[in-house]
Amino acid sequence: MSIALVVLAAGKGTRMESDLPKVLHRIGNAPMLHHAMAAGAALDPEKVVVVAGHGAEAVSAAAQDYMDEAEVAIQSEQLGTAHAVAQARTALAEFDGDVIVLYGDTPFIRFETLEEMARARARHDVVVLGFEAADPGRYGRLVTNGDRLERIVEFKDATDEERAITLCNSGVLAADCATLLRLIEAVGNDNASGEYYLTDVVALAVSEGLSATAVVCDEAETQGINSRPELARAEAVFQASARETLMADGVTLQAPETVFLSFDTALGRDTEVEPHVVFGPGVTVENGARIRAFSHLEGCHVSTGAVVGPYARLRPGAELDEDVHVGNFVEIKNAHLSAGVKANHLSYIGDADIGERTNIGAGTITCNYDGFLKHRTEIGEGAFIGSNTMLVAPVRVGSGALTGSGSVITEDVPDDALALGRAPQVTKPGRARKLFEILKARRADLKKDG
Ligand code: UD1
Ligand code: CA
């Protein structure tokens, strides 16, 4: 059965009090739209249509950023959820199969739940995802009879008796594409909100002799996001579940509640993460690496056996090969550190290529920026960069070369050479003692004068 996803994302999200469309607010550093699309992507859909309205340009860009082939249908006026799905009509014109409607602001629907809906679809024409609500509030209520779903009534239109129902509508719905589009045609807006309700397709289907049913999932899955506090709670839910997933996959998190992950964080088996580590977007860590406390990583790759931190910062383009050690207060950006490189203390390495086993002394800095352009630093294999070396890029230090501590290296250093770029030392015997005596006498004079 081929599947098309229709993701509703046209709403403004008034309660977010934001200039950003609601579905672009981030959970785990990814727009919540990506989370919704990812849930559906697990069904391997033939087509993905995102219905955008408020901030349509930005929403389209985000949709296509997640999935090149995603199509965008524009709903310029938000006249209701049925009207929103109707905007996907052109995109679905050639499509033959099932449509699953998801909301862009409901990021936690599990793949297994969607699979269960697909199974229920084999027996029923329309399948709606419901949940038993602890507080049913203003959700639409599912009116059932045995395993049959008879209709959905919106809170505003419900009688007291219907409001007492606790089985609520999540908004996720599955039906054959042609059937769904035909039923939507018949949906009117004669209701308390004056909107075209997608929920009305259930009663319309039943009145035609088609069958509808509800699949019930956990309330946590259907949690929508409408405000900043809900966004914060969703972030916490995401973090908790991402940590559990990693641990289930064999990653050690010493203090899981202090480790912050992104939607795309990938950590390999037997990697150990100490407390208080932040993984920004785009981080992959291979098996058996160690990320020590208080480190901050984004857009980087860490290989097996590498040790990062404590207090290290890996910025986009940091590529650490096997057994690299990056220690405290070391920042790496857009730089490739080959196997066995050590940069253990207080350094900035940006726009650089460093050969195997090279040692970067404490305080070394690549001076990569001249105020206008960035330049690269290249260091060969097995070199030794003395403490506090300034590498003024573009510059190359050869394999097996040595730079003296405190050197400012402005010219290339050949393989196996020693480069010294610092003021020669001058030593004056006995001068310190004499100087101290003079200063001591001066201080005594000052005291006497009051
Ligand atoms: C909807 C359901 C309700 C359900 C609830 C679950 C209807 C009529 N009601 O109500 O039964 O319990 O969701 O959260 O479907 N959207 C558009 N275009 C529109 C209207 C909405 O794209 O014209 C999008 C919104 O951006 C949002 C989603 O559809 O992502 C749901 O819309 P919303 O207005 O929040 O629906 P509810 O009134 O909450
Ligand atoms: Ca809502």
Side-chain angles (χ1 to χ4, degrees):
M1 166 71 73
S2 31
I3 286 178
L5 294 181
V6 174
V7 184
L8 304 191
K12 185 167 182 215
T14 312
R15 283 187 285 150
M16 293 300 284
E17 294 294 343
S18 176
D19 295 333
L20 194 66
K22 175 160 78 175
V23 295
L24 299 189
H25 283 268
R26 290 167 176 275
I27 297 172
N29 291 309
M32 59 175 105
L33 177 65
H34 288 188
H35 293 254
M37 290 174 79
L43 292 170
D44 194 19
E46 186 180 313
K47 232 176 199 320
V48 175
V49 187
V50 174
V51 180
H54 283 281
E57 224 169 282
V59 172
S60 316
Q64 277 151 5
D65 179 38
Y66 183 75
M67 187 186 273
D68 285 340
E69 323 84 82
E71 293 175 57
V72 176
I74 302 293
Q75 184 193 30
S76 21
E77 252 189 306
Q78 279 71 60
L79 302 179
T81 43
H83 179 259
V85 176
Q87 308 315 303
R89 190 180 290 281
T90 315
L92 295 172
E94 306 283 301
F95 176 74
D96 182 22
D98 259 20
V99 167
I100 297 191
V101 179
L102 297 174
Y103 291 172
D105 61 356
T106 308
F108 297 131
I109 307 283
R110 286 163 57 238
F111 166 59
E112 292 81 353
T113 299
L114 295 178
E115 270 188 330
E116 198 184 333
M117 288 184 73
R119 279 197 298 276
R121 253 290 291 140
R123 288 173 281 115
H124 297 276
D125 300 291
V126 178
V127 178
V128 167
L129 182 62
F131 61 100
E132 278 295 339
D135 169 15
R138 304 182 67 81
Y139 287 116
R141 306 297 206 266
L142 302 189
V143 181
T144 52
N145 182 1
D147 75 334
R148 294 295 169 118
L149 176 62
E150 293 188 330
R151 61 201 166 84
I152 304 178
V153 55
E154 287 305 295
F155 175 81
K156 278 192 189 171
D157 303 289
T159 61
D160 285 345
E161 209 176 309
E162 288 164 339
R163 287 182 181 181
I165 297 172
T166 53
L167 183 60
C168 292
N169 175 30
S170 70
V172 182
L173 179 145
D176 165 68
C177 182
T179 309
L180 181 64
L181 293 177
R182 181 168 52 74
L183 293 171
I184 280 175
E185 248 342 72
V187 171
N189 67 350
D190 183 16
N191 53 49
S193 310
E195 285 185 13
Y196 296 88
Y197 292 160
L198 179 61
T199 46
D200 282 355
V201 302
V202 172
L204 287 167
V206 171
S207 75
E208 280 190 4
L210 299 176
S211 81
T213 197
V215 161
V216 179
C217 72
D218 198 90
E219 183 168 10
E221 280 184 63
T222 70
Q223 203 55 63
I225 290 146
N226 299 295
S227 63
R228 308 272 179 168
E230 284 174 8
L231 182 66
R233 282 195 283 276
E235 181 71 40
V237 167
F238 164 77
Q239 292 297 339
S241 102
R243 292 165 189 145
E244 289 298 326
T245 305
L246 283 178
M247 291 189 285
D249 291 346
V251 175
T252 295
L253 302 181
Q254 284 181 357
E257 64 287 358
T258 67
V259 173
F260 288 83
L261 303 161
S262 286
F263 190 41
D264 61 358
T265 301
L267 307 183
R269 197 181 164 90
D270 290 323
T271 277
E272 257 185 87
V273 182
E274 291 185 0
H276 299 285
V277 173
V278 175
F279 292 93
V283 177
T284 52
V285 178
E286 287 177 14
N287 294 353
R290 181 146 186 233
I291 314 298
R292 306 204 54 199
F294 298 102
S295 294
H296 189 285
L297 293 78
E298 62 186 310
C300 62
H301 176 247
V302 177
S303 303
T304 297
V307 180
V308 174
Y311 296 99
R313 178 159 186 216
L314 302 186
R315 292 174 52 204
E319 171 80 32
L320 275 50
D321 287 355
E322 267 136 59
D323 304 318
V324 163
H325 287 199
V326 168
N328 41 266
F329 307 106
V330 173
E331 173 181 345
I332 314 270
K333 184 218 71 172
N334 192 27
H336 175 209
L337 278 56
S338 305
V341 165
K342 289 193 169 69
N344 273 330
H345 333 267
L346 299 156
S347 280
Y348 171 59
I349 316 272
D351 302 307
D353 282 294
I354 302 182
E356 290 183 13
R357 290 169 286 98
T358 282
N359 189 88
I360 308 286
T364 294
I365 287 176
T366 54
C367 309
N368 60 329
Y369 185 51
D370 56 17
F372 296 92
L373 295 170
K374 300 276 171 66
H375 303 281
R376 289 197 78 82
T377 298
E378 258 184 76
I379 304 176
E381 294 175 9
F384 189 97
I385 306 301
S387 294
N388 214 31
T389 297
M390 301 292 118
L391 296 155
V392 182
V395 73
R396 179 173 198 289
V397 177
S399 293
L402 171 64
T403 67
S405 299
S407 288
V408 178
I409 301 296
T410 55
E411 286 165 19
D412 288 357
V413 180
D415 290 358
D416 303 317
L418 165 66
L420 296 169
R422 60 189 186 200
Q425 182 169 329
V426 181
T427 307
K428 303 192 172 173
R431 266 297 275 279
R433 190 157 40 79
K434 267 184 209 149
L435 198 61
F436 290 147
E437 276 160 11
I438 293 167
L439 291 171
K440 207 163 143 192
R442 202 174 284 167
R443 186 172 60 187
D445 281 350
L446 283 171
K447 272 203 182 135
K448 224 179 336 174
D449 296 347

